[in-house]
């Protein structure tokens, strides 16, 4: 953590992070989650051809809440991943007999694209979350999907084994 450089103790930083995660994971925030058009149909198609997984800096409680009825499409979920550090990603790939070069890493944040590039995975930015086009393009992803159906098209053409 960068807390000490800012004059804040590591303990205080951890306390704030813990409180934020607890609040963010609460059931009251469920209404903030919206399933975007094409996601359910896209996951149905992709899960037949790819090993799908989720790697997130969120807690397991948040992931389970957010994925809800879509959970069955994913072979694994990795919470608390500390992206862009590739440690959790690489150990998860190994556990599922995947390699970075045969895996597409999809994300809506710079940390996602940085992680993908640092491991030689196919990097795909997606404009359905936090990152703006300008923001994601600055990281130079291999592809930039404008919607979930567009992501499905990219992955079908990419010839990968896994998608995270």
């Amino acid at each position: 953590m960068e807390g000490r450089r800012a004059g804040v103790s590591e303990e205080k930083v951890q306390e704030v992070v813990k409180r934020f995660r607890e609040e963010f994971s609460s059931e009251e925030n469920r209404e903030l989650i919206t399933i975007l058009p094409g996601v359910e149909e896209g996951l149905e198609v992709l899960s037949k051809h790819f090993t799908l997984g989720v790697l997130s800096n969120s807690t397991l409680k948040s992931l389970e809440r957010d994925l809800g009825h879509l959970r069955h499409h994913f072979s694994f979920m990795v919470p608390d991943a500390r992206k862009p550090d590739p440690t959790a990603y690489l150990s998860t790939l190994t556990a599922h007999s995947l390699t970075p070069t045969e895996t597409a890493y999809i994300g809506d944040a710079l940390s996602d694209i940085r992680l993908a590039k640092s491991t030689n995975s196919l990097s795909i930015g997606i404009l359905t979350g936090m990152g703006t086009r300008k923001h994601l393009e600055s990281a130079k992803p291999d592809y930039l999907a404008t919607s979930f159906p567009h992501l499905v098209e990219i992955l079908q053409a990419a010839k990968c084994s896994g998608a995270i």
Side-chain angles (χ1 to χ4, degrees), residues 128-150:
T128 58
M130 294 176 27
T132 64
R133 176 180 292 277
K134 182 178 178 182
H135 186 76
L136 288 174
E137 283 177 343
S138 74
K140 298 183 176 24
D142 296 311
Y143 295 93
L144 188 60
T146 57
S147 65
F148 205 86
H150 186 211

Side-chain angles (χ1 to χ4, degrees), residues 23-140:
E23 180 62 29
F24 188 74
S25 298
S26 72
E27 215 34 60
E28 294 95 38
N29 287 323
R30 176 64 183 108
E31 73 256 9
L32 299 175
I33 306 304
T34 303
I35 304 299
L36 298 172
V39 169
E40 293 187 58
E41 300 83 357
L43 286 174
E44 191 66 41
V45 169
L46 292 175
S47 64
K48 292 177 183 170
H49 304 284
F50 298 93
T51 300
L52 299 179
V54 176
L55 184 79
S56 177
N57 287 340
S58 295
T59 64
L60 181 59
K61 184 177 177 181
S62 291
L63 287 176
E64 289 173 340
R65 179 203 62 207
D66 298 349
L67 291 175
H69 70 283
L70 302 175
R71 171 64 179 97
H72 69 281
H73 293 293
F74 300 97
S75 299
F76 55 87
M77 292 190 316
V78 180
D80 305 308
R82 297 187 172 263
K83 299 179 293 182
D85 181 330
T87 305
Y89 175 64
L90 293 172
S91 62
T92 300
L93 291 182
T94 300
H96 292 275
S97 302
L98 296 167
T99 65
T101 56
E102 67 183 5
T103 303
Y105 192 97
I106 303 126
D108 65 354
L110 287 178
S111 60
D112 297 313
I113 306 306
R114 288 179 181 142
L115 188 153
K117 290 194 161 296
S118 75
T119 60
N120 294 316
S121 292
L122 184 69
S123 60
I124 305 175
I126 187 160
L127 297 174
T128 58
M130 294 176 27
T132 64
R133 176 180 292 277
K134 182 178 178 182
H135 186 76
L136 288 174
E137 283 177 343
S138 74
K140 298 183 176 24

